PDB file of all heavy atoms in Angstrom:
ATOM      1  N   LEU A 137      -9.880  -2.297   0.577  1.00 95.00           N
ATOM      2  CA  LEU A 137      -9.816  -3.758   0.515  1.00 95.00           C
ATOM      3  C   LEU A 137      -9.921  -4.290   1.940  1.00 95.00           C
ATOM      4  O   LEU A 137      -9.149  -3.861   2.807  1.00 95.00           O
ATOM      5  CB  LEU A 137      -8.488  -4.208  -0.101  1.00 95.00           C
ATOM      6  CG  LEU A 137      -8.196  -5.713  -0.067  1.00 95.00           C
ATOM      7  CD1 LEU A 137      -9.097  -6.459  -1.054  1.00 95.00           C
ATOM      8  CD2 LEU A 137      -6.728  -6.002  -0.391  1.00 95.00           C
ATOM      9  N   ALA A 138     -10.851  -5.185   2.197  1.00 97.00           N
ATOM     10  CA  ALA A 138     -11.025  -5.720   3.556  1.00 97.00           C
ATOM     11  C   ALA A 138     -10.843  -7.227   3.522  1.00 97.00           C
ATOM     12  O   ALA A 138     -11.736  -7.954   3.091  1.00 97.00           O
ATOM     13  CB  ALA A 138     -12.388  -5.343   4.104  1.00 97.00           C
ATOM     14  N   VAL A 139      -9.689  -7.644   3.971  1.00 94.00           N
ATOM     15  CA  VAL A 139      -9.394  -9.088   4.070  1.00 94.00           C
ATOM     16  C   VAL A 139      -9.406  -9.486   5.552  1.00 94.00           C
ATOM     17  O   VAL A 139      -9.990 -10.491   5.944  1.00 94.00           O
ATOM     18  CB  VAL A 139      -8.011  -9.390   3.442  1.00 94.00           C
ATOM     19  CG1 VAL A 139      -7.588 -10.832   3.717  1.00 94.00           C
ATOM     20  CG2 VAL A 139      -8.017  -9.131   1.941  1.00 94.00           C
ATOM     21  N   THR A 140      -8.789  -8.654   6.404  1.00 96.00           N
ATOM     22  CA  THR A 140      -8.550  -9.016   7.809  1.00 96.00           C
ATOM     23  C   THR A 140      -9.844  -9.127   8.606  1.00 96.00           C
ATOM     24  O   THR A 140     -10.736  -8.289   8.503  1.00 96.00           O
ATOM     25  CB  THR A 140      -7.604  -7.984   8.451  1.00 96.00           C
ATOM     26  OG1 THR A 140      -6.470  -7.831   7.608  1.00 96.00           O
ATOM     27  CG2 THR A 140      -7.143  -8.436   9.830  1.00 96.00           C
ATOM     28  N   ALA A 144      -8.636 -13.800  11.428  1.00 91.00           N
ATOM     29  CA  ALA A 144      -7.940 -14.117  10.170  1.00 91.00           C
ATOM     30  C   ALA A 144      -7.300 -12.873   9.590  1.00 91.00           C
ATOM     31  O   ALA A 144      -7.989 -11.929   9.231  1.00 91.00           O
ATOM     32  CB  ALA A 144      -8.924 -14.702   9.158  1.00 91.00           C
ATOM     33  N   GLY A 145      -5.976 -12.888   9.543  1.00 88.00           N
ATOM     34  CA  GLY A 145      -5.250 -11.790   8.904  1.00 88.00           C
ATOM     35  C   GLY A 145      -4.053 -12.441   8.248  1.00 88.00           C
ATOM     36  O   GLY A 145      -4.043 -12.699   7.030  1.00 88.00           O
ATOM     37  N   SER A 146      -3.091 -12.838   9.085  1.00 89.00           N
ATOM     38  CA  SER A 146      -1.967 -13.617   8.561  1.00 89.00           C
ATOM     39  C   SER A 146      -2.499 -14.912   7.956  1.00 89.00           C
ATOM     40  O   SER A 146      -2.068 -15.328   6.880  1.00 89.00           O
ATOM     41  CB  SER A 146      -1.012 -13.993   9.695  1.00 89.00           C
ATOM     42  OG  SER A 146      -0.472 -12.843  10.266  1.00 89.00           O
ATOM     43  N   TYR A 170      -9.711  -3.472  10.878  1.00 98.00           N
ATOM     44  CA  TYR A 170      -8.508  -2.779  10.403  1.00 98.00           C
ATOM     45  C   TYR A 170      -8.534  -2.536   8.893  1.00 98.00           C
ATOM     46  O   TYR A 170      -7.601  -2.883   8.171  1.00 98.00           O
ATOM     47  CB  TYR A 170      -7.241  -3.571  10.759  1.00 98.00           C
ATOM     48  CG  TYR A 170      -6.961  -3.617  12.226  1.00 98.00           C
ATOM     49  CD1 TYR A 170      -7.169  -4.772  12.961  1.00 98.00           C
ATOM     50  CD2 TYR A 170      -6.487  -2.493  12.884  1.00 98.00           C
ATOM     51  CE1 TYR A 170      -6.915  -4.819  14.329  1.00 98.00           C
ATOM     52  CE2 TYR A 170      -6.242  -2.520  14.240  1.00 98.00           C
ATOM     53  CZ  TYR A 170      -6.452  -3.688  14.952  1.00 98.00           C
ATOM     54  OH  TYR A 170      -6.203  -3.718  16.304  1.00 98.00           O
ATOM     55  N   CYS A 171      -9.601  -1.910   8.425  1.00 98.00           N
ATOM     56  CA  CYS A 171      -9.694  -1.668   6.980  1.00 98.00           C
ATOM     57  C   CYS A 171      -9.372  -0.190   6.695  1.00 98.00           C
ATOM     58  O   CYS A 171     -10.084   0.716   7.171  1.00 98.00           O
ATOM     59  CB  CYS A 171     -11.108  -2.018   6.490  1.00 98.00           C
ATOM     60  SG  CYS A 171     -11.292  -1.712   4.733  1.00 98.00           S
ATOM     61  N   THR A 172      -8.297   0.037   5.936  1.00 97.00           N
ATOM     62  CA  THR A 172      -7.891   1.414   5.596  1.00 97.00           C
ATOM     63  C   THR A 172      -8.969   2.032   4.697  1.00 97.00           C
ATOM     64  O   THR A 172      -9.341   1.445   3.662  1.00 97.00           O
ATOM     65  CB  THR A 172      -6.516   1.393   4.874  1.00 97.00           C
ATOM     66  OG1 THR A 172      -5.580   0.790   5.763  1.00 97.00           O
ATOM     67  CG2 THR A 172      -6.064   2.798   4.510  1.00 97.00           C
ATOM     68  N   LYS A 215      -4.583   5.146  16.598  1.00 97.00           N
ATOM     69  CA  LYS A 215      -3.343   4.439  16.337  1.00 97.00           C
ATOM     70  C   LYS A 215      -2.079   5.230  16.748  1.00 97.00           C
ATOM     71  O   LYS A 215      -2.117   6.441  16.895  1.00 97.00           O
ATOM     72  CB  LYS A 215      -3.230   4.145  14.819  1.00 97.00           C
ATOM     73  CG  LYS A 215      -4.461   3.445  14.245  1.00 97.00           C
ATOM     74  CD  LYS A 215      -4.269   3.074  12.807  1.00 97.00           C
ATOM     75  CE  LYS A 215      -4.074   4.239  11.863  1.00 97.00           C
ATOM     76  NZ  LYS A 215      -5.252   5.117  11.758  1.00 97.00           N
ATOM     77  N   ILE A 218       0.629   6.680  11.401  1.00 98.00           N
ATOM     78  CA  ILE A 218      -0.287   7.044  10.309  1.00 98.00           C
ATOM     79  C   ILE A 218      -1.653   7.460  10.877  1.00 98.00           C
ATOM     80  O   ILE A 218      -2.696   6.959  10.477  1.00 98.00           O
ATOM     81  CB  ILE A 218      -0.378   5.967   9.197  1.00 98.00           C
ATOM     82  CG1 ILE A 218      -0.813   4.606   9.681  1.00 98.00           C
ATOM     83  CG2 ILE A 218       0.898   5.865   8.413  1.00 98.00           C
ATOM     84  CD1 ILE A 218      -1.295   3.678   8.527  1.00 98.00           C
ATOM     85  N   THR A 223      -8.776   3.962   9.813  1.00 98.00           N
ATOM     86  CA  THR A 223      -8.710   2.499   9.878  1.00 98.00           C
ATOM     87  C   THR A 223     -10.001   2.037  10.562  1.00 98.00           C
ATOM     88  O   THR A 223     -10.224   2.335  11.731  1.00 98.00           O
ATOM     89  CB  THR A 223      -7.484   2.023  10.694  1.00 98.00           C
ATOM     90  OG1 THR A 223      -6.318   2.714  10.241  1.00 98.00           O
ATOM     91  CG2 THR A 223      -7.264   0.535  10.564  1.00 98.00           C
ATOM     92  N   VAL A 380       3.890   0.136  10.977  1.00 98.00           N
ATOM     93  CA  VAL A 380       2.739  -0.573  10.423  1.00 98.00           C
ATOM     94  C   VAL A 380       3.051  -1.213   9.063  1.00 98.00           C
ATOM     95  O   VAL A 380       2.406  -2.158   8.643  1.00 98.00           O
ATOM     96  CB  VAL A 380       1.489   0.336  10.357  1.00 98.00           C
ATOM     97  CG1 VAL A 380       1.559   1.308   9.182  1.00 98.00           C
ATOM     98  CG2 VAL A 380       0.232  -0.500  10.277  1.00 98.00           C
ATOM     99  N   ILE A 383       3.504  -4.636   9.257  1.00 96.00           N
ATOM    100  CA  ILE A 383       2.335  -5.374   9.762  1.00 96.00           C
ATOM    101  C   ILE A 383       1.322  -5.586   8.626  1.00 96.00           C
ATOM    102  O   ILE A 383       0.955  -6.721   8.321  1.00 96.00           O
ATOM    103  CB  ILE A 383       1.681  -4.631  10.942  1.00 96.00           C
ATOM    104  CG1 ILE A 383       2.655  -4.527  12.121  1.00 96.00           C
ATOM    105  CG2 ILE A 383       0.378  -5.320  11.374  1.00 96.00           C
ATOM    106  CD1 ILE A 383       2.147  -3.712  13.308  1.00 96.00           C
ATOM    107  N   PHE A 384       0.864  -4.452   7.977  1.00 94.00           N
ATOM    108  CA  PHE A 384      -0.201  -4.692   6.965  1.00 94.00           C
ATOM    109  C   PHE A 384       0.348  -5.219   5.648  1.00 94.00           C
ATOM    110  O   PHE A 384       1.550  -5.226   5.423  1.00 94.00           O
ATOM    111  CB  PHE A 384      -1.155  -3.511   6.808  1.00 94.00           C
ATOM    112  CG  PHE A 384      -0.602  -2.141   6.455  1.00 94.00           C
ATOM    113  CD1 PHE A 384       0.572  -1.978   5.775  1.00 94.00           C
ATOM    114  CD2 PHE A 384      -1.356  -1.019   6.787  1.00 94.00           C
ATOM    115  CE1 PHE A 384       1.024  -0.727   5.416  1.00 94.00           C
ATOM    116  CE2 PHE A 384      -0.921   0.248   6.452  1.00 94.00           C
ATOM    117  CZ  PHE A 384       0.273   0.391   5.767  1.00 94.00           C
ATOM    118  N   GLU A 385      -0.582  -5.735   4.844  1.00 91.00           N
ATOM    119  CA  GLU A 385      -0.215  -6.469   3.593  1.00 91.00           C
ATOM    120  C   GLU A 385       0.658  -7.673   3.890  1.00 91.00           C
ATOM    121  O   GLU A 385       1.481  -8.070   3.076  1.00 91.00           O
ATOM    122  CB  GLU A 385       0.478  -5.546   2.608  1.00 91.00           C
ATOM    123  CG  GLU A 385      -0.419  -4.559   1.922  1.00 91.00           C
ATOM    124  CD  GLU A 385      -1.494  -5.199   1.089  1.00 91.00           C
ATOM    125  OE1 GLU A 385      -1.191  -5.771   0.043  1.00 91.00           O
ATOM    126  OE2 GLU A 385      -2.673  -5.113   1.504  1.00 91.00           O
ATOM    127  N   GLY A 386       0.462  -8.290   5.075  1.00 92.00           N
ATOM    128  CA  GLY A 386       1.251  -9.451   5.443  1.00 92.00           C
ATOM    129  C   GLY A 386       2.451  -9.033   6.264  1.00 92.00           C
ATOM    130  O   GLY A 386       3.277  -8.232   5.801  1.00 92.00           O
ATOM    131  N   THR A 387       2.540  -9.530   7.506  1.00 96.00           N
ATOM    132  CA  THR A 387       3.639  -9.124   8.374  1.00 96.00           C
ATOM    133  C   THR A 387       4.990  -9.634   7.825  1.00 96.00           C
ATOM    134  O   THR A 387       5.017 -10.524   6.957  1.00 96.00           O
ATOM    135  CB  THR A 387       3.460  -9.720   9.806  1.00 96.00           C
ATOM    136  OG1 THR A 387       3.585 -11.135   9.713  1.00 96.00           O
ATOM    137  CG2 THR A 387       2.111  -9.332  10.409  1.00 96.00           C
ATOM    138  N   GLN A 389       7.043 -11.561   9.312  1.00 96.00           N
ATOM    139  CA  GLN A 389       7.165 -13.006   9.561  1.00 96.00           C
ATOM    140  C   GLN A 389       6.480 -13.805   8.472  1.00 96.00           C
ATOM    141  O   GLN A 389       6.998 -14.797   7.994  1.00 96.00           O
ATOM    142  CB  GLN A 389       6.520 -13.375  10.916  1.00 96.00           C
ATOM    143  CG  GLN A 389       7.343 -12.980  12.128  1.00 96.00           C
ATOM    144  CD  GLN A 389       6.931 -11.586  12.623  1.00 96.00           C
ATOM    145  OE1 GLN A 389       6.356 -10.783  11.889  1.00 96.00           O
ATOM    146  NE2 GLN A 389       7.238 -11.297  13.848  1.00 96.00           N
ATOM    147  N   ILE A 390       5.299 -13.340   8.065  1.00 95.00           N
ATOM    148  CA  ILE A 390       4.544 -14.090   7.037  1.00 95.00           C
ATOM    149  C   ILE A 390       5.284 -14.042   5.704  1.00 95.00           C
ATOM    150  O   ILE A 390       5.332 -15.029   4.966  1.00 95.00           O
ATOM    151  CB  ILE A 390       3.107 -13.524   6.922  1.00 95.00           C
ATOM    152  CG1 ILE A 390       2.328 -13.827   8.215  1.00 95.00           C
ATOM    153  CG2 ILE A 390       2.376 -14.069   5.699  1.00 95.00           C
ATOM    154  CD1 ILE A 390       2.294 -15.284   8.652  1.00 95.00           C
ATOM    155  N   VAL A 393       7.809 -16.652   5.794  1.00 94.00           N
ATOM    156  CA  VAL A 393       7.218 -18.002   5.606  1.00 94.00           C
ATOM    157  C   VAL A 393       7.005 -18.247   4.108  1.00 94.00           C
ATOM    158  O   VAL A 393       7.344 -19.312   3.579  1.00 94.00           O
ATOM    159  CB  VAL A 393       5.869 -18.119   6.376  1.00 94.00           C
ATOM    160  CG1 VAL A 393       5.144 -19.400   5.995  1.00 94.00           C
ATOM    161  CG2 VAL A 393       6.107 -18.039   7.888  1.00 94.00           C
TER     162      VAL A 393
HETATM  163  C1  LIG B 525      -3.098   0.627  10.408  1.00 76.50           C
HETATM  164  C2  LIG B 525      -3.523  -0.672   9.799  1.00 76.50           C
HETATM  165  C3  LIG B 525      -4.168  -0.673   8.576  1.00 76.50           C
HETATM  166  C4  LIG B 525      -4.590  -1.882   8.009  1.00 76.50           C
HETATM  167  N1  LIG B 525      -5.251  -1.854   6.794  1.00 76.50           N
HETATM  168  C5  LIG B 525      -5.777  -3.015   6.307  1.00 76.50           C
HETATM  169  C6  LIG B 525      -6.589  -3.017   5.126  1.00 76.50           C
HETATM  170  O1  LIG B 525      -6.797  -1.994   4.480  1.00 76.50           O
HETATM  171  N2  LIG B 525      -7.139  -4.182   4.727  1.00 76.50           N
HETATM  172  C7  LIG B 525      -6.949  -5.370   5.421  1.00 76.50           C
HETATM  173  O2  LIG B 525      -7.487  -6.386   5.012  1.00 76.50           O
HETATM  174  N3  LIG B 525      -6.177  -5.413   6.525  1.00 76.50           N
HETATM  175  C8  LIG B 525      -5.584  -4.263   6.994  1.00 76.50           C
HETATM  176  N4  LIG B 525      -4.835  -4.293   8.146  1.00 76.50           N
HETATM  177  C9  LIG B 525      -4.665  -5.544   8.869  1.00 76.50           C
HETATM  178  C10 LIG B 525      -3.304  -6.189   8.656  1.00 76.50           C
HETATM  179  O3  LIG B 525      -3.120  -6.560   7.301  1.00 76.50           O
HETATM  180  C11 LIG B 525      -3.218  -7.402   9.592  1.00 76.50           C
HETATM  181  O4  LIG B 525      -3.281  -6.929  10.915  1.00 76.50           O
HETATM  182  C12 LIG B 525      -1.952  -8.187   9.367  1.00 76.50           C
HETATM  183  O5  LIG B 525      -2.003  -8.869   8.164  1.00 76.50           O
HETATM  184  C13 LIG B 525      -1.690  -9.202  10.514  1.00 76.50           C
HETATM  185  O6  LIG B 525      -2.751 -10.107  10.622  1.00 76.50           O
HETATM  186  P1  LIG B 525      -3.483 -10.377  12.020  1.00 76.50           P
HETATM  187  O7  LIG B 525      -4.122  -9.094  12.417  1.00 76.50           O
HETATM  188  O8  LIG B 525      -4.351 -11.565  11.860  1.00 76.50           O
HETATM  189  O9  LIG B 525      -2.341 -10.677  13.057  1.00 76.50           O
HETATM  190  P2  LIG B 525      -1.795 -12.078  13.530  1.00 76.50           P
HETATM  191  O10 LIG B 525      -1.731 -13.025  12.407  1.00 76.50           O
HETATM  192  O11 LIG B 525      -2.567 -12.485  14.715  1.00 76.50           O
HETATM  193  O12 LIG B 525      -0.325 -11.702  13.899  1.00 76.50           O
HETATM  194  C14 LIG B 525       0.161 -11.464  15.224  1.00 76.50           C
HETATM  195  C15 LIG B 525       1.666 -11.780  15.219  1.00 76.50           C
HETATM  196  O13 LIG B 525       1.859 -13.196  14.978  1.00 76.50           O
HETATM  197  C16 LIG B 525       2.763 -13.382  13.901  1.00 76.50           C
HETATM  198  N5  LIG B 525       2.415 -14.597  13.159  1.00 76.50           N
HETATM  199  C17 LIG B 525       1.174 -14.986  12.762  1.00 76.50           C
HETATM  200  N6  LIG B 525       1.236 -16.142  12.108  1.00 76.50           N
HETATM  201  C18 LIG B 525       2.541 -16.483  12.033  1.00 76.50           C
HETATM  202  C19 LIG B 525       3.266 -17.562  11.449  1.00 76.50           C
HETATM  203  N7  LIG B 525       2.650 -18.529  10.781  1.00 76.50           N
HETATM  204  N8  LIG B 525       4.610 -17.585  11.590  1.00 76.50           N
HETATM  205  C20 LIG B 525       5.266 -16.593  12.250  1.00 76.50           C
HETATM  206  N9  LIG B 525       4.640 -15.545  12.826  1.00 76.50           N
HETATM  207  C21 LIG B 525       3.301 -15.483  12.718  1.00 76.50           C
HETATM  208  C22 LIG B 525       2.586 -12.145  13.046  1.00 76.50           C
HETATM  209  O14 LIG B 525       3.721 -11.924  12.235  1.00 76.50           O
HETATM  210  C23 LIG B 525       2.413 -11.058  14.094  1.00 76.50           C
HETATM  211  O15 LIG B 525       3.674 -10.654  14.555  1.00 76.50           O
HETATM  212  C24 LIG B 525      -4.370  -3.093   8.685  1.00 76.50           C
HETATM  213  C25 LIG B 525      -3.684  -3.099   9.928  1.00 76.50           C
HETATM  214  C26 LIG B 525      -3.280  -1.907  10.483  1.00 76.50           C
HETATM  215  C27 LIG B 525      -2.584  -1.938  11.812  1.00 76.50           C
END
Side-chain angles (χ1 to χ4, degrees):
L137 172 72
V139 172
T140 310
S146 297
Y170 292 106
C171 180
T172 302
K215 308 185 297 295
I218 57 164
T223 311
V380 77
I383 297 176
F384 57 26
E385 286 298 290
T387 66
Q389 285 92 339
I390 293 306
V393 170

